[in-house]
Amino acid sequence: MNSRHPQPRDDEVPGVGADQIMARRFVQERLAELPHRPEDAEARLRGLLAIYEELTARGHPEPIVLLAGVLGIPVEVLVRHLRAAQR
């Protein structure tokens, strides 16, 4: 996650319902489990892809938007990361 751009707490995000809060928390918990060291970059990318696939399997309507939002990065950047993880 990007510490330079702190994310609002779930209860501070306007218009966020219970399902969205649960989805954000799920993503936050899964992200916390991923390796953070630079030498583990490939494992982290594979982990991001796994989180995306889990959200898709659970039927989340916008898994990329959710994951990018929690990470604090643009969707386009996340798409590049996911494509790299698929290689």
Side-chain angles (χ1 to χ4, degrees), residues 22-42:
M22 288 175 50
R24 283 184 62 82
R25 287 187 181 150
F26 167 78
V27 171
Q28 290 166 340
E29 289 169 7
R30 293 285 283 119
L31 287 173
E33 298 170 359
L34 298 181
H36 287 60
R37 298 180 321 191
E39 58 269 21
D40 295 328
E42 287 184 39

Side-chain angles (χ1 to χ4, degrees), residues 8-76:
R9 291 190 343 246
D10 293 326
D11 58 354
E12 294 175 341
V13 179
V16 173
D19 289 342
Q20 292 170 312
I21 290 172
M22 288 175 50
R24 283 184 62 82
R25 287 187 181 150
F26 167 78
V27 171
Q28 290 166 340
E29 289 169 7
R30 293 285 283 119
L31 287 173
E33 298 170 359
L34 298 181
H36 287 60
R37 298 180 321 191
E39 58 269 21
D40 295 328
E42 287 184 39
R44 183 166 175 82
L45 288 176
R46 287 191 306 272
L48 290 175
L49 181 59
I51 294 168
Y52 167 76
E53 289 172 346
E54 287 176 58
L55 290 168
T56 301
R58 291 172 177 228
H60 192 279
E62 295 182 310
I64 289 183
V65 173
L66 172 62
L67 187 52
V70 173
L71 287 166
I73 62 174
V75 169
E76 299 80 21

